[in-house]
Amino acid sequence: MVTDSLGMEGVRTKYGDDRVPVLALKAGVDQLLNPPDLDLAWNAVLTAVREGELTEARLDQSILRVLRLKAKLGLFRSPYVSQGGVDRTVGIRTHLKAADRMAERTTTLLVNEGGLLPLSRRRHPKVLVVGADPASPSGTTGPPTGVLAGALSELGFTATALSTGTAPSAATIAKAVAAARDADAVVAATYNVTAGSSQKTLVEQLVGDRETGRGGRDPQSLRRGPTAVRPGLPGRLLLDGRRTAGRRTGDRGPCEAAREAAGRRTAGG
């Protein structure tokens, strides 16, 4: 068992950086990913062993599981891989299809007021994508706003990307609001938003500008807190990165539905 990033704010706030790794190991986790302070995490585990909260036997269980998996994969016999070996495995069609399937099953459409999705190329031909562009873990997929705008362009929209960063300034927010006035649809991407984040201010000002009539569209409601919002036409769009209990296996995800709709709509949108 492998953890998500131990830098996630919720678990850090509730338990503290010194307790999270210890509690994770007690729960049966084998590998701890991305502790914010590696020395603190290591010493916290060492202290837990010395004080008897964790046993060496418990740690040995995880170590053996990791070593057995490495042995099963042949990593002790051949720990290195050639460039050709990478190209034969990474990014191949089978794996890309698997990634698409996983994406469909982990993004759940929570709210779609006004039938906003799927977007219509006839009603929303010009799309502006704004938001944060955190670095890709692999460094290969490009900035999220650019990737999303490119995907929308492939579906037949005229999409423009405007990176506003994880902490947009007042000037950057004003630039995004001005650009949004010329768009039929706006996609705002957020990253690690907190209550006082200027990313939240960006979304609120995008919506507020439309509500005053300067955007030339009808008012749009906005739920408090981080959300994916289309502040142009009536309706509200919320996307969640988890499957919910109400969604059955086999249900179409929003990305799949959008692609299908785009395929049905020809030149007429």
Side-chain angles (χ1 to χ4, degrees), residues 112-128 152-153 155-160 182-187 210 217 220 230-235 237 265 268-269:
N112 190 21
E113 293 179 0
L116 180 62
L117 280 184
L119 289 176
S120 164
R121 288 176 297 185
R122 177 177 57 82
R123 290 186 293 123
H124 319 112
K126 297 177 66 175
V127 181
L128 173 68
L152 288 167
S153 296
L155 291 173
F157 296 91
T158 301
T160 304
D182 191 41
D184 300 300
V186 177
V187 177
R210 297 292 177 124
R217 300 291 182 184
Q220 153 74 28
R230 152 59 174 117
L233 294 172
L237 168 63
R265 294 186 180 116

Side-chain angles (χ1 to χ4, degrees), residues 18-251:
D18 58 333
R19 292 299 297 159
V20 170
V22 174
L23 293 173
L25 289 169
K26 290 178 69 175
V29 168
D30 301 312
Q31 288 186 316
L32 310 176
L33 296 187
N34 196 31
D37 187 329
L38 183 57
D39 287 341
L40 178 64
W42 188 88
N43 280 292
V45 172
L46 180 61
T47 298
V49 172
R50 286 174 173 170
E51 295 180 353
E53 185 177 7
L54 282 170
T55 66
E56 291 188 41
R58 165 64 194 91
L59 299 185
D60 286 344
Q61 290 176 358
S62 288
I63 293 170
L64 283 173
R65 277 195 286 266
V66 173
L67 292 176
R68 284 168 180 159
L69 179 58
K70 289 184 175 182
K72 180 179 178 180
L73 296 173
L75 297 182
F76 297 124
R77 296 190 307 271
S78 181
Y80 304 107
V81 64
S82 66
Q83 181 64 50
V86 172
D87 293 339
R88 286 191 296 272
T89 303
V90 178
I92 61 176
R93 185 184 299 262
T94 300
H95 292 172
L96 292 176
K97 287 183 177 180
D100 281 344
R101 288 195 302 271
M102 285 185 279
E104 292 293 350
R105 291 172 63 86
T106 56
T107 301
T108 301
L109 182 61
L110 297 181
V111 178
N112 190 21
E113 293 179 0
L116 180 62
L117 280 184
L119 289 176
S120 164
R121 288 176 297 185
R122 177 177 57 82
R123 290 186 293 123
H124 319 112
K126 297 177 66 175
V127 181
L128 173 68
V129 181
V130 301
D133 274 331
S136 167
S138 65
T140 60
T141 55
T145 54
V147 170
L148 182 54
L152 288 167
S153 296
E154 290 178 3
L155 291 173
F157 296 91
T158 301
T160 304
L162 176 59
S163 177
T164 50
T166 55
S169 65
T172 299
I173 292 174
K175 182 179 178 180
V177 170
R181 293 172 188 164
D182 191 41
D184 300 300
V186 177
V187 177
T190 61
Y191 181 77
N192 284 353
V193 178
T194 60
S197 171
S198 56
Q199 293 181 69
K200 182 171 178 284
T201 303
L202 167 67
V203 175
E204 289 174 339
Q205 290 198 18
L206 284 167
V207 174
D209 191 68
R210 297 292 177 124
E211 288 180 340
T212 61
R214 286 177 290 179
R217 300 291 182 184
D218 295 327
Q220 153 74 28
S221 61
L222 174 65
R223 190 186 75 165
R224 294 288 180 183
T227 178
V229 179
R230 152 59 174 117
L233 294 172
R236 177 174 54 183
L237 168 63
L238 304 179
L239 295 179
D240 182 41
R242 303 173 301 278
R243 291 187 67 206
T244 60
R247 184 178 173 193
R248 301 181 303 277
T249 300
D251 285 353

